[in-house]
Amino acid sequence: MSRRAFDYDEAFSRNIGWVTQAEQAALRGKRIAIAGVGGVGGVHLLTLTRLGVGAFHVADMDTFDLVNFNRQAGAMMSTLDRPKAEVMAEMARDINPDVDIRVFGSGVNAGNLDEFLAGVDLYVDGLDFFAFTARRDTFNACHRLGIPAVTAAPLGMGTAVLSFLPGRMSFEEYFRLDGCDEDEMAVRFLLGLSPAMLQRAYLADPSRVDFVARRGPSTIAACQLCAGVTATESLKILLRRGEVLCVPWGFQFDAYRNRYVKTWRPGGNNNPIQRIGLAIARRQLRAMREAARV
């Protein structure tokens, strides 16, 4: 084991050039909250730690299992059945022993969100796709508290990214989930994240997409892409440098199809084009449910 002392400036010196020395020092003083540190969230934490961000709040109530091995940064034989938040905090501290991490081992809920978001400069979404209540509560709290928030969805072998900035369109105004049952929320969330649906063209086994069982396929390629794009968006937001596309604008990059698409949905899911897509998606979901009953 190395006996060398940790030195922040040396550890992150290769970032300099793409950021200035002063900007790197600014990143060291920033605090990011990440809810969910499994698939995308775990890679977010490690990527942002290597970017030199100095403090985090991380929340997750789950433990690592074998089914996480295909994509989750902390999923290894040595971490089976261990709490995800604790494992990922240890991995981040192994990169930067000086990093300030506060662990919320019971996840996020309406009762602890003010504490989870206290003193935070940015929220990065790492929650499971189907965690609708926790996600809505968290984004609503960010909007109320004036905290910018980024969500990057791992879709196929690409990522779809939405940024919510203070004083602009909120999560609820864009997705319009209020009053919806879980099936409708799933449809609205997926179409809102990915109006272009680039990933649909190469899905090899559609039977593995099971909204009924709340389960779908995933790839490490998508999780890594999410983390790289999110780190870049986070840098621009935290340093107030560069253009940030915020909702109703979004974008999707699909590495498999070599395509990048900017999306614009004024009115969010109430947009006329979006409403047509939602109607088609609802019919497809009903067909899936009928097939599952046969």
Side-chain angles (χ1 to χ4, degrees):
M1 185 175 179
S2 174
R3 295 180 180 275
R4 291 187 63 185
F6 176 77
D7 180 88
Y8 178 94
D9 291 333
E10 183 178 358
F12 303 109
S13 61
R14 296 297 178 91
N15 291 340
I16 307 302
W18 297 113
V19 297
T20 67
Q21 197 84 44
E23 287 173 331
Q24 187 67 65
L27 290 173
R28 188 179 188 178
K30 299 299 183 181
R31 182 177 298 271
I32 295 178
I34 306 173
V37 287
V40 290
V43 192
H44 285 327
L45 176 62
L46 300 187
T47 304
L48 290 164
T49 299
R50 292 192 187 279
L51 192 63
V53 173
F56 297 91
H57 292 174
V58 297
D60 202 304
M61 65 178 70
D62 202 4
T63 57
F64 283 114
D65 196 356
L66 281 170
V67 296
N68 304 141
F69 276 39
N70 76 312
R71 70 200 183 283
Q72 299 196 11
M76 298 168 278
M77 291 302 297
S78 61
T79 63
L80 276 175
D81 300 319
R82 289 196 59 202
K84 293 181 181 181
E86 289 182 13
V87 169
M88 296 313 303
E90 289 172 7
M91 292 177 72
R93 291 186 184 109
D94 210 19
I95 297 167
N96 177 3
D98 295 337
V99 72
D100 177 8
I101 301 185
R102 184 173 178 190
V103 173
F104 290 73
S106 59
V108 290
N109 55 68
N112 70 0
L113 276 170
D114 282 354
E115 185 180 5
F116 177 66
L117 295 171
V120 161
D121 299 291
L122 173 69
Y123 169 67
V124 170
D125 182 27
L127 291 167
D128 180 84
F129 177 89
F130 294 102
F132 298 122
T133 299
R135 179 173 281 108
R136 291 180 68 198
D137 287 345
T138 304
F139 274 91
N140 289 343
C142 287
H143 186 69
R144 172 172 55 84
L145 296 169
I147 297 171
V150 178
T151 186
L155 299 172
M157 299 179 203
T159 179
V161 183
L162 296 173
S163 295
F164 296 85
L165 300 183
R168 306 296 290 271
M169 193 177 207
S170 72
F171 180 93
E172 195 61 46
E173 288 169 334
Y174 180 80
F175 285 104
R176 297 179 178 269
L177 303 183
D178 190 39
C180 299
D181 62 22
E182 288 221 343
D183 283 350
E184 180 66 14
M185 283 194 282
V187 169
R188 291 191 181 203
F189 188 52
L190 178 60
L191 265 292
L193 283 170
S194 175
M197 289 295 286
L198 297 180
Q199 72 281 3
R200 186 171 52 188
Y202 58 91
L203 180 64
D205 184 355
S207 70
R208 293 289 180 164
V209 179
D210 191 345
F211 274 23
V212 178
R214 302 291 186 253
R215 185 174 61 243
S218 57
T219 70
I220 184 60
C223 293
Q224 297 280 10
L225 286 166
C226 285
V229 172
T230 297
T232 306
E233 292 297 288
S234 299
L235 181 150
K236 291 193 292 183
I237 291 170
L238 294 173
L239 299 180
R240 302 191 179 194
R241 172 185 146 184
E243 180 188 11
V244 177
L245 288 177
C246 65
V247 292
W249 286 95
F251 63 91
Q252 183 173 4
F253 170 68
D254 193 283
Y256 187 90
R257 296 187 63 189
N258 299 317
R259 288 194 61 192
Y260 170 81
V261 176
K262 286 184 182 179
T263 56
W264 184 52
R265 291 295 184 270
N269 277 332
N270 202 38
N271 183 280
I273 296 174
Q274 205 66 354
R275 288 163 70 178
I276 293 170
L278 289 170
I280 295 169
R282 290 184 195 107
R283 287 200 297 269
Q284 292 174 339
L285 180 57
R286 283 196 296 270
M288 288 170 56
R289 285 197 171 280
E290 290 169 5
R293 287 196 291 266
V294 174

